[in-house]
Amino acid sequence: MVGTPQQDAPTGAPVLLAMPAGERHAGVLGAALQRQRLHVIAVTGGPRSAAAFEAALRERLQCSDMEGRRVGLFGSGPAVLAVLRVAAAAPAVVAAVVTCEGRPDRAGPALAAVQAPTLLLLGADQPGPLAAGRTAMLRLACRKRLEVVPGGVDEPAAQHALAELAAAWFASHLAEPPHA
């Protein structure tokens, strides 16, 4: 299901959040983004596969309220692949990307095509995803950063740290003018 803009959301740049329904840090992330005056649009609900998230994101980007706007994309878990693939396919629209957890290395050739500044977020207790994040960093040719927060992403302190890092990344990069 494609989400709709949150009620009373700020009118700043839109950030599409692609994450499984019930994602544990969605509320913390949404609040951090709204403090940065960003417009939060959830793409949650039924999609659980990367392909379903990718279709939902592409559909949302085609909506009339997105016309002419540059957006940020956030993906967690299975949505990481979708966010990276959509960013690679729509460089004129996607201005910033943040992924959390997941396996960004599985985006394959799309990684080299991503032009938007990209932040990969991981918890320190995730050895598999941490290795995947490092592999993805080697393939990304855009401005990029890998941030590892202490502990696991389920811990409240880590959730807040991840949310603040993502919000700062989007606020910084969505404020930049489009690259020629």
Side-chain angles (χ1 to χ4, degrees):
M1 173 173 87
V2 175
T4 57
Q6 290 185 359
Q7 297 294 334
D8 303 321
T11 57
V15 176
L16 279 63
L17 305 182
M19 55 184 60
E23 182 68 36
R24 60 196 167 278
H25 51 269
V28 174
L29 176 62
L33 292 170
Q34 288 182 342
R35 281 193 298 279
Q36 293 286 345
R37 305 198 47 76
L38 297 167
H39 182 76
V40 178
I41 301 171
V43 179
T44 60
R48 295 261 181 213
S49 71
F53 274 116
E54 187 173 347
L57 284 168
R58 289 178 189 273
E59 177 184 335
R60 187 64 180 98
L61 288 175
Q62 296 298 315
C63 291
S64 62
D65 64 332
M66 292 287 114
E67 191 172 317
R69 298 184 82 182
R70 293 185 38 83
V71 304
L73 297 180
F74 175 92
S76 68
V80 165
L81 296 177
V83 162
L84 291 167
R85 289 176 184 155
V86 170
V93 176
V94 179
V97 173
V98 177
T99 70
C100 184
E101 304 178 271
R103 294 290 308 263
D105 60 319
R106 292 185 179 162
L111 285 168
V114 173
Q115 294 179 22
T118 301
L119 173 63
L120 306 178
L121 298 172
L122 296 165
D125 73 344
Q126 301 178 286
L130 189 53
R134 288 185 177 127
T135 299
M137 288 291 288
L138 296 173
R139 294 183 190 155
L140 285 165
C142 57
R143 242 181 310 167
K144 61 198 174 206
R145 191 166 87 208
L146 173 66
E147 285 285 340
V148 180
V149 298
V153 294
D154 292 332
E155 297 172 16
Q159 289 179 15
H160 285 281
L162 292 166
E164 292 303 324
L165 287 164
W169 187 264
F170 284 126
S172 171
H173 295 290
L174 289 173
E176 292 178 357
H179 300 293

